[in-house]
Amino acid sequence: MTAAPRKRLSPEESRDAALEAARELLLEAGPGAVTLKAVAAKIGRTHANLLHHFGSAAGLQKALAASIAGSVTGKIGAAVMRARAGADHDDHEVVDLTFDAFDKGGAGALASWMILTGNQDALDPILEAIHRLVDELAEGHDDKTHSLHEETLQLVLMAVGDALLGAPMARALGLPRNKAREIAAAQLSRTMGEHHGHTHPCKE
């Protein structure tokens, strides 16, 4: 791809452009493609310029994970609040947003690859964003906090596992590809029903 013409960017604009390019590389070619050299070439910057912003390739990848996590948890939070309102909501929406973040959004592959290559704090930005989301959703509902944390743990673990192994496992077991999403949505439906004081069948 031809490098974009160089132009003066503020530090924030340069950093944002680098993260957007890194996200594109992640989705196009996988986590291994997210390097300082590749991102610099994609946005017409120098390797030194990106080193200044991120410190290392691991720093770039961690910033990318934080960017993805922030975007995704914002969407999930909005979906949960709509679900809590109880007005014609679909429990699959929250599940789909979470699963898509780790699958189509690349967060699962990125975090797993970073851990395997020695970046042990790779999941921190994702976990911190999810923790903030859960705390916000639990605010004013102290009796629900423990349950909400447990449901979030289950949902995220299922989403990560599905992103990495869902397709081959479903094939091997003769199950539909979206079976894990259906299981997660059914569990979330029960939780939402308990929150509103009634049961609520999952929409298939």
Side-chain angles (χ1 to χ4, degrees):
M1 178 177 176
T2 303
R6 288 181 63 87
K7 63 178 181 178
R8 293 187 67 85
L9 298 174
S10 70
E12 293 77 14
E13 289 173 333
S14 182
R15 191 174 188 279
D16 289 346
L19 288 175
E20 182 56 35
R23 186 192 295 261
E24 291 175 5
L25 285 167
L26 171 66
L27 297 178
E28 290 168 3
V34 184
T35 66
L36 291 172
K37 181 178 179 181
V39 172
K42 196 170 180 68
I43 63 173
R45 302 284 118 180
T46 65
H47 185 272
N49 178 266
L50 293 194
L51 273 176
H52 173 72
H53 286 297
F54 302 105
S56 65
L60 168 64
Q61 292 158 358
K62 187 172 182 178
L64 176 58
S67 174
I68 293 172
S71 171
V72 168
T73 53
K75 293 177 182 176
I76 294 171
V80 170
M81 296 312 291
R82 286 195 296 274
R84 280 188 172 179
D88 192 29
H89 77 270
D90 186 346
D91 297 311
H92 279 280
E93 182 183 13
V94 176
V95 171
D96 284 340
L97 284 168
T98 307
F99 274 60
D100 285 346
F102 287 96
D103 186 6
K104 297 175 184 176
L110 176 64
S112 299
W113 185 80
M114 289 167 70
I115 290 171
L116 290 173
T117 54
N119 192 358
Q120 295 300 319
D121 60 354
L123 281 173
D124 287 355
I126 296 172
L127 298 180
E128 287 166 5
I130 291 171
H131 192 200
R132 285 195 300 272
L133 170 65
V134 172
D135 285 347
E136 289 170 8
L137 296 176
E139 188 174 352
H141 301 276
D142 291 340
D143 59 325
K144 300 293 182 185
T145 302
H146 183 67
S147 173
L148 190 56
H149 278 82
E150 289 181 349
E151 294 305 326
T152 302
L153 172 66
Q154 179 175 313
L155 181 58
V156 171
L157 288 177
M158 289 184 70
V160 173
D162 186 72
L164 300 179
L165 295 171
M169 282 195 68
R171 269 197 313 272
L173 295 170
L175 296 172
R177 175 63 185 92
N178 66 343
K179 191 62 180 178
R181 293 189 185 220
E182 292 178 0
I183 294 170
Q187 179 59 43
L188 183 62
S189 178
R190 284 192 290 273
T191 301
M192 289 298 179
E194 290 168 4
H195 177 77
H196 289 293
H198 62 275
T199 57
H200 164 81
C202 174
K203 296 181 182 180
E204 294 293 340

